[in-house]
Amino acid sequence: MSIQKTPALTTRATHTTLTRRVIFFAAILIVWELVARSGIWESYLFPGPLVVGRTLIDGIVEGEYLHAALISLQRIVIGYGISLVLGMSIGALIARNSILEDTIGSLVVGLQALPSVCWLPLAILWLGLSERAIQFVIVMGALFSIILGVRDGIRNTPPIFVKAARNLGATGFTLYVQVIIPAALPSIVAGLKQGWAFAWRSLMAAELLFFSLSLGNLLQTGRDFNDAAGVMAVMMLIIAVGVTVNQLIFAPIERRIGERWGYAAASN
Amino acid sequence: MMNDPTALQISQVSKTFVMRDRSVQALTPIDLTVKAGEFVCLLGASGCGKSTLLSLIAGLEAPTTGVVTAGDAPVVGPGIDRVMMFQDAALFPWLTVQENVEFPLRQAGHSKAVRAATAREWIERVHLAGFERSAVHQLSGGMRQRVALARSLAINPAMLLMDEPFGALDALTRDRLHHELEKLWSATRKTILFVTHNVREAVALGDRVLVFSPRPGRILGEFRIDLPRPRSLEDMAVIKKTAEVMDVLRGALEAAPGELEGAFI
């Protein structure tokens, strides 16, 4: 009766992964720099990583990029927060009620097929070029993934857990909070993560059309000024924000669930 | 044991599952009385309604006809006086071993200190001290059933309903768990209903073995096992008694061909 652990193996695997990644990305940067210097395209249209890197650092040092990133982050925190509250409640309701499932459930599945940026024209017609229009698009991006993740998780709770729990005295609300929700957690987290990814995409697309400072807007400004290095630098920044949120929020949650449930955490 | 109070009274209990286009009778009306502290094995092939009977006693399903009376109250739903154990230990993977054992105590509203102390005591009694903080997936099948046993007993039920709990374990682990179950039963005097399709397991564990016929389930015969305890699967007496039971079963098989075919292994 002993629990086997193989720390040596895990560490070696991590090292291998790290080495592969470093080599891969270094190769990309080198090829990119070489192509940029080869003169195939004009250098103002296709700047190399050194130029883009310098633009990025300058942008950050001057404060404009961070300011823009903060504005975008603030928007997504609000929009995603609204989606979180709405999505969890609607998902939980749909999962437990067949009338809601047959009606709202199918509506959600349908709306999920519509890229949320398609809501932007309507949002602008209804709400003007306002923060509320942007929030609306973010919510349309994140909401349905969250609803479906919560619904699927709750609906697919293994019946044996519910049986065992009722048998051990769990009823009503506690059964829901202590058994059904935890059992649904992997699916819920997957829905939250997908919702976040969609929300981030929607926000960037929406911001392209707006005139106030934001990450998406910086891309548009770069285009207007024929500044490909600026566009690429902002793209890097957008990637960095997305990856950071994933690493700081979703990856640790997934790792914890994976460790507890005994399957390998979704790779980062 | 003659004077022990009745733990379980089953009168004319049957169960018919109604599906979209047909209905299946899982259990013909059954009468059964179990005394407090008795160890009764329900023996039969899969699909003979013995698991259904356990679910009815547990209150997880309602009988189509008849009444189940546990203690002195009719069963109308699940209750922690009757705890069921499943072939899949059905531990909650989001909880540690300790938290799993505490689960029923938490439902019953016990204080944190009582929960922790009771859980620790039962974890020790099933020989898993040191694994309190382990995750479920780190445990072997046998260890999981030990946790399930601790979780069931922690709430101090009058009755344990065991649905082939050791069915998926290897022979050695199963043998050890038999011994420990027998010991725990001797110490706690719980009433145990133990479902199995293994004749020797039934003979080795039970005070009484009830044989079920498949589709629709009914009680085909009853054997009283008066062998001394503790018993083991290898005891000559157990082996002899098993052969005896098998003989009777074979007789029944010849009388009603087809009914028991492939029923027992």
Side-chain angles (χ1 to χ4, degrees):
Chain A
M1 292 207 301
S2 74
I3 293 171
Q4 290 193 337
K5 283 192 182 135
T6 49
L9 204 71
T10 335
T11 322
R12 203 181 315 141
T14 317
H15 279 310
T16 315
T17 309
L18 199 64
T19 316
R20 282 177 182 157
R21 274 190 194 155
V22 168
I23 293 173
F24 175 72
F25 286 107
I28 285 189
L29 290 177
I30 290 168
V31 171
W32 176 9
E33 184 67 36
L34 288 176
V35 172
R37 281 167 189 254
S38 70
I40 303 174
W41 294 290
E42 299 289 348
S43 63
Y44 71 90
L45 288 179
F46 195 87
L50 293 176
V51 178
V52 173
R54 202 174 309 124
T55 312
L56 183 59
I57 291 166
D58 287 349
I60 290 172
V61 171
E62 284 163 19
E64 192 188 23
Y65 283 11
L66 288 185
H67 191 193
L70 276 178
I71 290 172
S72 296
L73 275 174
Q74 191 191 342
R75 283 175 175 159
I76 201 160
V77 166
I78 295 171
Y80 189 71
I82 294 171
S83 312
L84 210 58
V85 174
L86 283 179
M88 300 270 256
S89 336
I90 298 174
L93 285 175
I94 290 179
R96 304 302 285 180
N97 183 309
S98 67
I99 297 176
L100 291 179
E101 161 61 25
D102 292 344
T103 52
I104 296 177
S106 52
L107 176 68
V108 168
V109 173
L111 289 178
Q112 169 79 337
L114 180 70
S116 66
V117 72
C118 298
W119 285 99
L120 190 60
L122 268 188
I124 293 174
L125 280 177
W126 290 343
L127 304 163
L129 279 171
S130 64
E131 283 301 304
R132 284 194 300 163
I134 288 198
Q135 298 301 349
F136 182 78
V137 173
I138 296 177
V139 171
M140 287 299 125
L143 183 62
F144 307 121
S145 297
I146 297 177
I147 291 178
L148 293 179
V150 173
R151 180 199 71 172
D152 291 347
I154 292 176
R155 260 204 328 208
N156 298 335
T157 301
I160 186 122
F161 290 154
V162 179
K163 256 190 187 178
R166 288 181 60 209
N167 196 17
L168 293 166
T171 52
F173 184 69
T174 47
L175 180 68
Y176 214 82
V177 172
Q178 290 183 32
V179 179
I180 295 175
I181 298 282
L185 209 55
S187 169
I188 293 176
V189 170
L192 295 187
K193 192 179 165 185
Q194 194 189 44
W196 159 263
F198 283 167
W200 187 235
R201 282 157 180 69
S202 318
L203 175 63
M204 289 305 112
E207 283 180 349
L208 278 174
L209 292 176
F210 279 68
F211 302 111
S212 59
L213 179 68
S214 66
L215 284 179
N217 172 259
L218 279 179
L219 290 174
Q220 189 60 26
T221 313
R223 199 202 94 169
D224 292 341
F225 287 98
N226 229 346
D227 177 15
V231 172
M232 288 183 176
V234 176
M235 286 168 71
M236 296 281 180
L237 195 57
I238 294 172
I239 293 176
V241 173
V243 169
T244 306
V245 169
N246 190 48
Q247 290 298 316
L248 287 186
I249 298 174
F250 292 106
I253 297 176
E254 284 183 315
R255 202 176 313 122
R256 279 200 57 172
I257 291 177
E259 279 166 8
R260 187 49 76 77
W261 287 63
Y263 47 72
S267 74
N268 35 32
Chain B
M1 210 178 280
M2 285 316 248
N3 301 321
D4 287 342
T6 302
L8 180 70
Q9 178 82 50
I10 291 172
S11 346
Q12 288 298 300
V13 165
S14 76
K15 180 70 182 177
T16 303
F17 290 102
V18 182
M19 281 162 241
R20 247 172 308 163
D21 49 347
R22 66 208 167 96
S23 63
V24 176
Q25 191 174 34
L27 213 56
T28 56
I30 277 178
D31 290 302
L32 173 64
T33 304
V34 178
K35 295 208 172 302
E38 202 178 1
F39 198 135
V40 177
C41 289
L42 311 180
L43 180 65
S46 10
C48 73
K50 54 201 190 325
S51 299
T52 305
L53 183 59
L54 279 200
S55 286
L56 298 178
I57 299 169
L60 292 170
E61 282 176 69
T64 309
T65 66
V67 181
V68 177
T69 310
D72 35 43
V75 169
V76 289
I80 49 174
D81 55 325
R82 298 153 272 132
V83 173
M84 188 143 166
M85 284 178 64
F86 307 88
Q87 178 166 353
D88 170 353
L91 302 178
F92 304 126
W94 56 90
L95 301 178
T96 61
V97 166
Q98 171 92 20
E99 290 162 345
N100 263 287
V101 179
E102 283 187 25
F103 183 88
L105 301 162
R106 200 169 152 197
Q107 309 309 316
H110 289 290
S111 74
K112 212 172 161 188
V114 171
R115 276 174 2 217
T118 313
R120 218 170 305 119
E121 181 202 328
W122 279 105
I123 289 169
E124 259 167 48
R125 287 184 75 168
V126 299
H127 307 291
L128 282 178
F131 289 92
E132 289 84 355
R133 303 178 61 124
S134 296
V136 170
H137 75 91
Q138 294 172 306
L139 308 177
S140 67
M143 291 160 84
R144 283 179 207 194
Q145 285 299 356
R146 286 166 195 271
V147 178
L149 195 57
R151 185 175 68 172
S152 305
L153 289 169
I155 193 68
N156 196 22
M159 202 181 305
L160 269 188
L161 307 168
M162 308 181 78
D163 191 1
E164 296 192 43
F166 307 146
L169 304 179
D170 65 89
L172 211 66
T173 308
R174 179 191 271 229
D175 206 31
R176 258 171 57 188
L177 281 169
H178 283 164
H179 280 295
E180 287 179 25
L181 178 61
E182 197 179 37
K183 261 197 345 226
L184 284 172
W185 171 72
S186 303
T188 59
R189 301 312 291 184
K190 302 286 177 203
T191 310
I192 297 184
L193 268 76
F194 189 102
V195 161
T196 177
H197 56 249
N198 185 316
V199 183
R200 205 167 351 149
E201 182 174 52
V203 170
L205 288 173
D207 292 326
R208 198 147 52 110
V209 175
L210 301 174
V211 182
F212 278 68
S213 83
R215 282 181 216 94
R218 63 194 169 85
I219 297 177
L220 206 64
E222 179 178 332
F223 299 88
R224 194 157 279 288
I225 315 292
D226 290 323
L227 304 175
R229 295 180 184 270
R231 305 176 193 153
S232 145
L233 287 179
E234 277 69 46
D235 289 349
M236 266 327 280
V238 168
I239 294 171
K240 260 174 72 182
K241 191 77 190 174
T242 304
E244 222 174 278
V245 174
M246 289 292 276
D247 273 347
V248 177
L249 287 177
R250 251 181 236 115
L253 176 63
E254 273 151 30
E259 198 171 51
L260 291 169
E261 236 166 302
F264 305 102
I265 48 166

